[in-house]
Amino acid sequence: MVDKPKSAVGIKYQADNKQQAPQIIAKGFGELAEEIIALARENGVLVHEDEQLAGFLNTLDLGQEIPRELYIVIAELIAFSYVLQGKFPESWNNIHGKVDDRV
């Protein structure tokens, strides 16, 4: 059995432009995918591994916005990455008390 080559997709959300969806800024398979992942990690970018999501995003063109159907998935991943980094919106009040937001 031959393993499928690893794929990677980089997306970027322009927080200063609320009207735009995240865009595809990098994509590749095999060695290029490994380089994209290594470069992301070297620059402190959190990496989410999901073969199906990466496979779908790899069908999009560089510079293309993610489709509307993925807004919620990508928004949840971005929000979760902020929580992992200890970043919370000023208005967030942690009403459930499940996340320690003390820095």
Side-chain angles (χ1 to χ4, degrees):
M1 184 171 144
V2 177
D3 289 332
K4 283 192 332 185
K6 186 172 211 146
S7 68
V9 178
I11 62 171
K12 183 175 183 179
Y13 177 71
Q14 300 289 349
D16 58 336
N17 187 344
K18 305 281 187 221
Q19 299 301 316
Q20 289 186 330
Q23 294 180 337
I24 306 298
I25 60 166
K27 65 181 198 168
F29 294 93
E31 288 183 28
L32 180 55
E34 296 292 343
E35 289 179 34
I36 292 168
I37 293 167
L39 187 59
R41 287 188 171 136
E42 287 171 15
N43 287 283
V45 175
L46 295 178
V47 175
H48 175 74
E49 294 189 35
D50 184 318
E51 185 178 325
Q52 291 179 331
L53 180 58
F56 177 78
L57 291 173
N58 253 309
T59 66
L60 304 176
D61 294 326
L62 289 175
Q64 186 174 349
E65 292 182 356
I66 63 163
R68 184 174 197 82
E69 295 80 16
L70 290 180
Y71 284 7
I72 293 174
V73 171
I74 299 300
E76 287 177 350
L77 289 172
I78 291 171
F80 186 62
S81 72
Y82 284 155
V83 170
L84 290 175
Q85 296 173 63
K87 298 177 184 176
F88 302 93
E90 290 180 23
S91 62
W92 191 67
N93 59 12
N94 193 14
I95 59 173
H96 302 293
K98 294 185 179 185
V99 177
D100 184 1
D101 62 353
R102 292 173 282 157
V103 180

